[in-house]
Amino acid sequence: MLDDFMMRATLAGIGVAFAAAPLGSFVVWRRMAYFGDATAHAAILGVALSLALSTSIFVGAVAVALVMALTVSALSGRGYAMDTLLGVMAHSALAFGLVAVSFLSGVRIDLMAYLFGDILAVSRGDLGVIWGGAALVVMLIAWRWQRLLTSTLNEDLAYSCGIDPKREKLALTLSLAITVAVAIKVVGVLLIAALLIIPAAAARPLSRTPEGMAITATLIGAASAVIGLRTAYVFDTPAGPTIVCIAALCFVTASIWGGIRHLV
Amino acid sequence: MSLIRVEHLGVSYGAHQALHNVGLTVEPNEIVTVVGPNGSGKTSLLRAIVGAIPLTAGTVDKKPDLRIGYVPQRLHVDPTLPITVERFLRLPNGVDKQTLDTALERAGVPDIASRQMSQLSGGQLQRVLLARALANGPDLLLLDEPTQGLDQQASAAFYRLIEKVRRETECSVLMISHELHVVMAASDRVICLNGHVCCQGSPDIVSSAPEYRALFGSGTGGALALYRHEHDHSHDGDCDHDHSPKEAAE
């Protein structure tokens, strides 16, 4: 069954959706959308470094994304607004990454594959990494769920319950770095943030509880991956962007549905 | 044994000293109200007690296994976060349906368990926050300006509610407020804070203390001015506000 490249691609897309949707819900609730984007852009530098050092791309991407996320967290509130800081970090990391890749002679690198993903080329090994990483993220978020949610609602409330919001933020940052690294192959660094945010945003008008929103987002993400791949196959369009397009259509439909329900 | 004993507490934000040498205790079954002008460090005091900000000096001792019910000044529920009142009350340690209903009933908002948090009015939200604090069976309620944004009548109703809760659950209350008149009716002890403890006592004593009038003007204290309070309050000149009694207009 795993011999079929379409099957592997579908499983890869679903795997990423499983990690991205619950994490994406927190990204939406905490208004970290740009933070997700910045972490993803930084990952291209990780890709370049791991190609230069001949290590696993997953490890390189996680490491650089994590360093990037931690640096931004540490520097925020020290004279620069968060969005300025993220803008500086994200685009310089992307630029340095692209320049670094150009230095790698002897290795023929399809840069497009890392910018926009190459889900149809997912190998069995990639699939293992994607599902392993996704399982790690889902378990981490499920384990910290109550504490993450309390910290997201109000930090002082969290402190009064004996929860350290800074530690919970670290858990989210770590999850974000892992998700970015596993999603590179599927949608590429430029579209990872879309996979985080769009399913969660589409799930919002359909949900009454945080858990409901995370589960609905997961379903929307997974459905977008399956339908997007099928559509890409039929119309011969790039797979990663097609998945994002389907997710965006889900968002539009859900918003209209939410609006109508609100009016009636 | 005191539920909370704060000694020589200091809190600084960078170079700004928000609190210095603050001492206070809360005894079982007691309502303590902290009053002070904006920027006097009232909220910093509560945040220091719950552990949300680091102390730069002094100690905060809590009775072992003290259960604190904290009611924050306000709670902004982002509209992107769908959450019902019931789900909110179950954070972070799930409580059973019975406890949850009792807490809502006690806070005066039964029948709103299935409403969305982002759609509540200011008064309802305040009572839901109180219900959440009550759901965990607290020994001590910490309330940060619970009546902010409520009109006079709603404030009075909220204070009556706190009194009733104290009677029923025998918990202590440490409350921040700037509405002295309403507070007076409810509290056993008032502490006047402005970076440090300016004075404390039972409500009618504080309202006549020169420090209080200096902070708020004589407008609210006029009727109580007949009560002369002997102050043993001295300063080392390390604070930047005026302690000299203002000549009241009356």
Side-chain angles (χ1 to χ4, degrees):
Chain A
M1 163 181 110
L2 292 179
D3 290 337
D4 178 18
F5 75 95
M6 274 301 277
M7 182 54 79
R8 288 197 302 270
T10 307
L11 288 175
I14 294 173
V16 170
F18 268 53
L23 177 62
S25 299
F26 278 105
V27 169
V28 167
W29 297 333
R30 298 169 74 105
R31 308 193 163 214
M32 290 165 63
Y34 205 31
F35 191 76
D37 223 13
T39 309
H41 285 180
I44 199 78
L45 184 59
V47 169
L49 288 177
S50 36
L51 288 173
L53 302 171
S54 317
T55 57
S56 136
I57 285 174
F58 176 76
V59 172
V62 166
V64 174
L66 200 57
V67 167
M68 158 83 191
L70 291 177
T71 310
V72 171
S73 296
L75 286 179
S76 67
R78 295 196 191 168
Y80 291 106
M82 190 66 165
D83 59 340
T84 306
L85 206 55
L86 285 171
V88 171
M89 298 285 289
H91 298 109
S92 27
L94 182 60
F96 275 108
L98 295 176
V99 170
V101 168
S102 75
F103 277 115
L104 297 170
S105 55
V107 196
R108 204 182 69 81
I109 301 159
D110 182 9
L111 198 57
M112 289 295 275
Y114 295 107
L115 290 177
F116 293 106
D118 194 3
I119 191 173
L120 299 180
V122 165
S123 68
R124 282 164 181 250
D126 292 335
L127 211 50
V129 168
I130 289 171
W131 276 87
L136 204 62
V137 168
V138 169
M139 282 192 299
L140 186 61
I141 290 181
W143 173 41
R144 314 294 297 184
W145 182 265
Q146 293 276 72
R147 280 173 273 196
L148 279 167
L149 207 51
T150 310
S151 308
T152 300
L153 272 162
N154 187 292
E155 295 206 342
D156 287 351
L157 204 62
Y159 276 117
S160 79
C161 302
I163 298 165
D164 184 357
K166 292 200 197 91
R167 190 184 302 160
E168 304 311 319
K169 195 174 163 189
L170 198 63
L172 277 186
T173 306
L174 186 63
S175 305
L176 192 60
I178 296 173
T179 305
V180 162
V182 300
I184 285 181
K185 193 88 184 179
V186 176
V187 285
V189 295
L190 294 182
L191 289 176
I192 289 170
L195 221 52
L196 280 171
I197 294 155
I198 299 176
R204 171 62 187 97
L206 312 174
S207 320
R208 287 182 46 77
T209 59
E211 293 76 18
M213 181 160 153
I215 290 168
T216 310
T218 308
L219 294 178
I220 292 175
S224 303
V226 174
I227 299 170
L229 273 171
R230 200 68 222 164
T231 311
Y233 184 76
V234 171
F235 294 99
D236 193 22
T237 48
T242 309
I243 293 174
V244 174
C245 288
I246 298 294
L249 288 176
C250 291
F251 170 75
V252 171
T253 313
S255 301
I256 293 173
W257 163 252
I260 291 171
R261 209 177 40 174
H262 202 72
L263 285 176
V264 176
Chain B
M1 179 188 182
S2 305
L3 297 184
I4 281 198
R5 178 177 292 277
V6 175
E7 281 174 332
H8 309 297
L9 174 72
V11 169
S12 297
Y13 300 104
H16 172 65
Q17 204 176 33
L19 292 171
H20 59 95
N21 203 19
V22 171
L24 72 90
T25 59
V26 180
E27 305 299 328
N29 202 17
E30 184 185 35
I31 297 185
V32 178
T33 296
V34 177
V35 295
N38 288 332
S40 61
K42 300 184 303 265
T43 295
S44 296
L45 176 64
L46 276 203
R47 297 188 73 211
I49 289 174
V50 300
I53 45 175
L55 316 181
T56 43
T59 52
V60 175
D61 287 323
K62 294 170 196 162
K63 198 186 97 176
D65 300 325
L66 179 74
R67 269 178 307 192
I68 289 181
Y70 175 64
V71 180
Q73 191 166 28
R74 52 179 158 253
L75 181 83
H76 172 73
V77 180
D78 198 283
T80 59
L81 174 56
I83 184 164
T84 58
V85 169
E86 178 173 349
R87 182 66 190 87
F88 175 71
L89 293 189
R90 292 187 198 278
L91 283 174
N93 314 306
V95 291
D96 59 62
K97 181 80 179 142
Q98 174 77 44
T99 315
L100 196 145
D101 286 338
T102 310
L104 280 173
E105 178 90 47
R106 197 159 258 163
V109 278
D111 310 322
I112 66 164
S114 61
R115 293 272 296 278
Q116 285 286 312
M117 287 289 288
S118 53
Q119 288 167 357
L120 300 179
S121 73
Q124 284 173 328
L125 183 62
Q126 202 50 254
R127 282 163 187 253
V128 168
L129 289 174
L130 177 66
R132 202 205 72 89
L134 291 174
N136 295 314
D139 308 306
L140 173 67
L141 275 180
L142 292 180
L143 303 159
D144 191 354
E145 298 206 24
T147 58
Q148 201 196 36
L150 302 185
D151 62 33
Q152 201 82 51
Q153 231 174 349
S155 304
F158 192 81
Y159 285 131
R160 280 198 297 274
L161 179 66
I162 297 292
E163 249 186 301
K164 183 165 115 2
V165 164
R166 194 261 300 250
R167 248 195 336 269
E168 288 174 4
T169 66
E170 297 188 338
C171 65
S172 296
V173 178
L174 178 61
M175 171 167 43
I176 283 175
S177 176
H178 52 242
E179 296 172 86
L180 187 69
H181 289 301
V182 191
V183 169
M184 278 174 59
S187 41
D188 299 310
R189 205 144 54 85
V190 176
I191 294 172
C192 177
L193 190 75
N194 192 7
H196 59 273
V197 176
C198 285
C199 57
Q200 59 176 308
S202 57
D204 50 339
I205 296 174
V206 168
S207 64
S208 65
E211 275 78 10
Y212 193 85
R213 290 216 306 258
L215 289 173
F216 292 90
S218 56
T220 56
L224 301 159
L226 284 173
Y227 189 94
R228 297 296 298 180
H229 181 67
E230 292 298 324
H231 247 267
D232 57 353
H233 195 68
S234 71
H235 286 275
D236 310 313
D238 59 347
C239 59
D240 53 7
H241 64 271
D242 184 18
H243 282 91
S244 63
K246 282 210 178 112
E247 278 310 312
E250 62 274 68

